[in-house]
Amino acid sequence: MRYLPLTDTDRAAMLETIGAPDINALFSDVPQEARLDGPIHDLPMHASEMAVERHMRTLSKKNLAAADAPFFLGAGAYRHHVPASVDHIIQRGEFLTAYTPYQPEIAQGTLQMLFEFQSQVARLYGCAVANASMYDGSTACWEAITMAGRVTKKARAVLSCGLHPHYVEVARTMAKFTGDAIVSAAPDLDAGCAEDALIAEIDDETSCVVVQYPDILGRIPDIRKIAAALEGSKALLIVVNTEPVALGALEAPGNLGADIVVGEGQAIGVGLQFGGPYLGLFAVTNQKLVRQMPGRLCGETVDADGKRGFVLTLSTREQHIRREKATSNICTNSGLCALAFSVHMTLLGGEGLERLAMENHRLACIAADRLVEISGVSVLNDVFFNEFTVVLDRDAREVVRVLAEKGVLAGVSLGRLFPAEDALANGLLVAVTETTSEEDIETMATALEEILA
């Protein structure tokens, strides 16, 4: 059922133009074992547009959407309520027509929006300067690691066991091409965050220590302790946050000793959207590090007449400067998602964000208290924000599947996040936001009781 806009004659003309004998010649660099042996098996070759639409609608009805069931999934992507006013404002024509400030002096509205966004991120993270956004949290994390390498002239990154495994994989993948050494380990099902083990890995060749806050199991590491351990060392402390709403209740990482704070901004203003696009946040506490930041910075100034204006202050990416001088090959910022984040943050305000955070935590406490009453369930965390780990008396993946059949999206099994770690198989990560009702919690608890009985 492939959409094929070109005819055989079109293809023949294009192949002749580039001097290729046939289509297969275009894939000569792909290993033979990775190629298909023909059309995709069991997939029809062609259908009308109406037939495809009907078929896709039928398939979509098999999905269990987040808004249609009790929903407890998180692990780096969170379902929060996004006010209708956010979508209304970001679709205004003024924003649609000025996607990126290629001619910054005539894109004052876009520059002001990005300046406001940067100011909000810097304040949220407790940092001095934030950039105009990155692709997503994982790539922002990698950019922070490479920035630490530039600053310290070292290439050994020590990652906390509580860092999201997908972020770890991004770092490992990128390090294949830079030669950086990545030190990491899987977490244990323990309430502690293993700060001492992390500190023990720091040596003279370490460029940075990367810690997630709250971590992948919902635990809250002692950032001050790790920062103190780095005193006297050249290594930078990078703090990763995947749930920005948490910072309405927790101390900002920049105030705890972090040098670089990065994270995922999707939870504010951006829906789950079937997996993207998302929004990377990036900030530093020391202004001396600004020139090593990736991406670009917008700044505030006055013009020749003394009127307030905005400028593209710093662009260290390949698109603006010589490739060998660039700090990153990032090609763009997530402009629309940054706008949605900024609009939602403006609507919330500082007090609104704090109230939202406290409501998340209140509901999460109710969920943890209810689940721990069930025979065969224990809660791992001593402290948490809106996400915590429960340990079941059996493989959590099987339980999640059965709960989904009962119409409950119960959380993310650690076996899915760490498929090679059998010791984590019984762990289930449960996230609770303001979109979760107390009735949802009771529905999940009742269903879980039936399964574990």
Side-chain angles (χ1 to χ4, degrees), residues 247-261:
L247 300 181
L250 303 176
E251 185 67 72
N255 298 335
L256 299 174
D259 297 295
I260 305 173
V261 186

Side-chain angles (χ1 to χ4, degrees), residues 135-136 264-266 270-280 334 336-337:
Y135 293 135
D136 60 19
E264 176 56 61
Q266 170 272 325
V270 183
L272 291 172
Q273 301 177 154
F274 300 100
Y278 284 176
L279 169 68
S334 297
L336 185 61
C337 294

Side-chain angles (χ1 to χ4, degrees), residues 147-432:
M147 176 176 159
R150 291 192 297 274
V151 172
T152 63
K153 310 299 184 189
K154 300 179 186 300
R156 181 175 181 271
V158 177
L159 313 187
S160 162
C161 65
L163 182 63
H164 196 302
H166 295 173
Y167 287 40
V168 174
E169 285 306 308
V170 168
R172 288 194 179 283
T173 299
M174 298 301 289
K176 292 178 182 176
F177 306 101
T178 63
D180 287 69
I182 303 295
V183 179
S184 67
D188 295 323
L189 286 179
D190 189 275
C193 296
E195 290 94 343
D196 291 335
L198 183 70
I199 291 169
E201 290 287 351
I202 301 170
D203 62 18
D204 292 340
E205 298 304 314
T206 301
S207 62
C208 61
V209 175
V210 184
V211 186
Q212 185 172 322
Y213 168 83
D215 76 4
I216 186 61
L217 302 186
R219 306 171 300 186
I220 301 175
D222 187 343
I223 301 297
R224 279 198 176 95
K225 180 177 182 179
I226 300 167
L230 287 171
E231 288 182 4
S233 164
K234 291 184 178 179
L236 302 184
L237 175 55
I238 299 170
V239 173
V240 176
N241 171 263
T242 61
E243 168 53 298
V245 176
L247 300 181
L250 303 176
E251 185 67 72
N255 298 335
L256 299 174
D259 297 295
I260 305 173
V261 186
V262 297
E264 176 56 61
Q266 170 272 325
I268 297 180
V270 183
L272 291 172
Q273 301 177 154
F274 300 100
Y278 284 176
L279 169 68
L281 309 180
F282 195 110
V284 298
T285 53
N286 187 341
Q287 291 191 24
K288 293 181 179 178
L289 298 177
V290 164
R291 284 198 168 275
Q292 293 298 333
M293 290 176 71
R296 54 190 175 187
L297 302 177
C298 297
E300 184 183 35
T301 187
V302 293
D303 64 14
D305 298 324
K307 295 180 180 177
R308 186 190 189 204
F310 298 90
V311 294
L312 201 53
T313 305
L314 189 67
S315 290
T316 56
R317 56 186 190 158
E318 289 179 356
Q319 202 169 9
H320 290 278
I321 62 178
R322 285 181 295 168
R323 185 174 187 178
E324 63 273 19
K325 297 290 185 182
T327 58
S328 167
N329 65 356
I330 184 171
C331 298
T332 188
N333 60 288
S334 297
L336 185 61
C337 294
L339 173 61
F341 177 97
S342 189
V343 171
H344 196 180
M345 282 289 281
T346 303
L347 292 170
L348 284 169
E351 292 183 5
L353 179 64
E354 184 177 341
R355 287 200 300 272
L356 176 62
M358 298 314 296
E359 177 64 3
N360 274 241
H361 183 60
R362 184 186 74 83
L363 288 165
C365 289
I366 292 174
D369 290 344
R370 178 65 181 90
L371 293 177
V372 81
E373 294 174 354
I374 301 171
S375 177
V377 177
S378 61
V379 174
L380 177 76
N381 306 59
D382 291 333
V383 292
F384 55 85
F385 168 58
N386 69 351
E387 193 166 27
F388 55 88
T389 298
V390 296
V391 182
L392 310 179
D393 62 3
R394 63 195 69 175
D395 192 317
R397 282 170 290 194
E398 299 172 7
V399 175
V400 167
R401 279 193 287 270
V402 176
L403 284 170
E405 291 170 0
K406 291 177 174 291
V408 178
L409 297 171
V412 179
S413 65
L414 297 186
R416 179 181 174 185
L417 290 174
F418 300 93
E421 301 294 332
D422 292 340
L424 300 177
N426 290 7
L428 175 65
L429 194 59
V430 178
V432 181

